[in-house]
Structures are given as C-alpha cells and as structure tokens.
Amino acid sequence: MIDELIRRSIREMVGGGGPPVAFLEPPGDRGLFGPESIAWKVHADFISMMIGGISSLVLQALHPKALAGVWDHSSFREDLKGRLGRTAFFIAATTYGSQEMAANAISRVNQIHQKVTGFDEFNEPYRANDPNLLAWVHLTETRSFMRSYESYRSEVLRSQQKDQYFAEMKILGEKLGATHLPDTYLATEQAIKQYIPQLHYGDRAKTIIALLDHFPSNLSSKPFVKMISRAGFLNLPDWVYPIIGRPIPRRIERLAMSSAIRLMAIPVREALKDGVAAHSLRRVYGSPK
C-alpha cells in the first residue's frame, strides 16, 4: 500500500506507467555508457534526480533565450508534469536505453530544436540549436544532478568519479549540438558562472519559478511533492539567490532538508528498486546483478 502511494506521488510529478520493459531489449546491448559508468550510478537515484531537475529548470528559466524557446514552443506552463516526464524519459533513454533507443531519443530532440526559433522578451532572436544555449542547458542539468546526488545520497563519490561523470555527460551534450563543454566538476562550475551576465529575472522567469515553487499536485501527494520542490530550490548555487530575490539558505536549513530527504528516500528507493536501471542491468547481463 505504501509502495503504491509512493508510485502515485511520483506519477503526480512526472507521469509514467508500468514496468519499463522496453529497456530489456536487445540482450547484451550496453547503451551509450554501460553499467560501470558513473552516469548509471547517479541517474539511478530517482529522488536526487527529481531534486536536480527542479534546480536545473530554475537556472534555465533565468536565461532569456533558453526560456523563450520553452515559453513560445511548449506547454510547460499548462503541463509541467508532462514536461518533466519527457525530460525524465530522455535521461532514462540516453543513460540506460539500448544504442538504438538512445540514438532515437537524441535524434528526436535534435529535430525539435531545428524548428524552435523566435524572439526573446528583449526582441533578440534565438534558436534552440544555438550551441551556446545548448551548453547552458547541459551545464545546469549536469551540475544540478551531481550536486543533488552529493547532498541527498549517502554514498560518497571520489573527485575522480565526479569528474568522470562530467566527462561521460559531455559525450551526450555534444551529440545534442553543444560545443566546448567542460569535462570536470570544477570546470563545469566555472563555465556556468560565465553565463551570469546573460541572465535576467524578469516576469517570464518569475512565472516559471513560481510554478516550480508551487508545484501542482493532489492532496495526498502534496507533502512529497512540496518537499522535492523545496529541496530543488535549496540545490541552487549560492550566487543565484540574490538574483531571484531570496536569502541564501542557512546551513542548518540545508542539513535539515538533507536529513528529511534521506529518511523519505528509504521507502521511495525500495518502491522503485525494480525500475529502469534494474531492467537495463538484466538486458546487459541477462539476469539481476
């Protein structure tokens, strides 16, 4: 009963249905990265990935050109769950899917980006396949996922493992058209800061961030969803808070949230233990490992 309540709460945020049987085929296919990769380890933790997803969307909303593509060409404001669900599937397909599944997911996104053009709120032209914008999205996502894993997963990664994650994800970012991507944690943090002069917290960004801050959910799922959303805001870099008019969170607040998330994550991880990563291991090795 508790497992089903957890799954229902997760569907409230990202949608989704039954067992991910599509990840069982073809036998032996290792996908883009393989089970030994750090990407497989980091992306397997649904809780930290959802938290990282929220913080990456907050960051992306601060770039007028990146936000314009979402504002003009998606149903993000009306269907937040659908947007997160599509993003979650893309991450799953490119991390755990077969070579063909990953290639199809990448091709589909690249085709969509070709058509997304227009003018931002300053009447400046933008195109979604601009390598500068693609790099911003890539940098904010990878930084957010790793930072969330560090904060909300008990397992400690060595510096070399963290850098390996960014080197692996650079491969994916380049397949999506981003260029000059860093391949270490420190270089990623530095690259993100180079974008600060391009950021703007205007009415559009305020609308999106308010939506993320008050994530729509039904009554039974509200405590779970609210905690994930709040943790996402605590997962931002410190330099972001003055931009969005919020105080930098105190250390005790971050520690309290980390403790709460780790406690809540125990039944969530148990409920999701036979998810995408487990199915993909069966594809590669032929049996649970």
Side-chain angles (χ1 to χ4, degrees):
M1 181 176 178
I2 293 176
D3 284 3
E4 180 53 36
L5 178 61
I6 290 170
R7 295 188 190 101
R8 189 162 61 246
S9 297
I10 289 168
R11 287 194 294 270
E12 274 295 302
M13 292 198 78
V14 300
V21 294
F23 290 84
L24 293 172
E25 301 291 337
D29 191 311
R30 296 174 57 81
L32 285 182
F33 303 112
E36 300 80 17
S37 67
I38 303 301
W40 271 54
K41 181 186 293 290
V42 171
H43 294 175
D45 189 50
F46 182 85
I47 289 289
S48 58
M49 288 296 287
M50 284 304 305
I51 293 168
I54 295 293
S55 55
S56 68
L57 289 175
V58 172
L59 287 167
Q60 290 162 23
L62 295 176
H63 196 297
K65 293 188 190 313
L67 178 56
V70 173
W71 192 269
D72 294 339
H73 297 273
S74 82
S75 58
F76 183 87
R77 285 165 287 167
E78 297 79 29
D79 185 22
L80 180 55
K81 181 173 73 173
R83 166 64 190 273
L84 286 179
R86 290 187 292 273
T87 300
F89 177 78
F90 177 81
I91 294 294
T94 53
T95 305
Y96 300 104
S98 65
Q99 291 277 352
E100 182 180 8
M101 181 188 289
N104 288 341
I106 292 166
S107 176
R108 187 160 52 248
V109 169
N110 285 336
Q111 289 173 11
I112 292 172
H113 285 171
Q114 291 286 344
K115 304 172 185 176
V116 175
T117 61
F119 294 86
D120 68 15
E121 57 199 293
F122 297 105
N123 207 33
E124 293 289 329
Y126 72 85
R127 53 187 178 88
N129 61 359
D130 178 354
N132 182 64
L133 295 184
L134 291 168
W136 170 247
V137 172
H138 175 87
L139 293 167
T140 53
E141 285 186 350
T142 53
R143 184 270 176 200
S144 295
F145 292 151
M146 176 54 72
R147 186 72 186 93
S148 180
Y149 190 90
E150 290 178 295
S151 299
Y152 300 110
R153 184 71 174 159
S154 297
E155 180 179 3
V156 177
L157 296 178
R158 301 188 306 274
S159 295
Q160 183 181 3
Q161 291 177 300
K162 294 175 188 177
D163 287 346
Q164 181 183 333
Y165 173 76
F166 291 97
E168 291 167 358
M169 296 307 290
K170 179 180 179 180
I171 296 170
L172 177 58
E174 289 176 341
K175 289 181 180 293
L176 290 168
T179 57
H180 307 296
L181 294 175
D183 56 7
T184 68
Y185 198 164
L186 178 59
T188 297
E189 293 277 16
Q190 293 171 338
I192 288 175
K193 289 181 180 179
Q194 298 302 311
Y195 281 82
I196 292 177
Q198 302 177 37
L199 306 183
H200 174 66
Y201 187 48
D203 289 341
R204 289 185 174 186
K206 291 175 182 177
T207 297
I208 298 300
I209 289 175
L211 183 61
L212 294 169
D213 202 11
H214 303 283
F215 202 103
S217 62
N218 63 34
L219 188 61
S220 64
S221 303
K222 199 172 188 63
F224 173 85
V225 173
K226 183 64 178 176
M227 185 179 293
I228 294 293
S229 176
R230 180 59 187 152
F233 278 83
L234 293 177
N235 194 49
L236 295 167
D238 282 351
W239 56 261
V240 172
Y241 298 105
I243 295 177
I244 63 176
R246 302 189 184 199
I248 296 175
R250 294 173 297 167
R251 185 169 181 271
I252 191 171
E253 185 178 5
R254 295 186 197 273
L255 288 174
M257 179 59 75
S258 179
S259 297
I261 290 290
R262 290 184 182 191
L263 184 63
M264 182 263 288
I266 295 172
V268 172
R269 288 168 181 149
E270 178 64 23
L272 300 179
K273 66 182 180 181
D274 195 31
V276 170
H279 279 66
S280 301
L281 280 173
R282 295 190 189 112
R283 182 187 76 242
V284 175
Y285 294 116
S287 62
K289 192 176 176 68

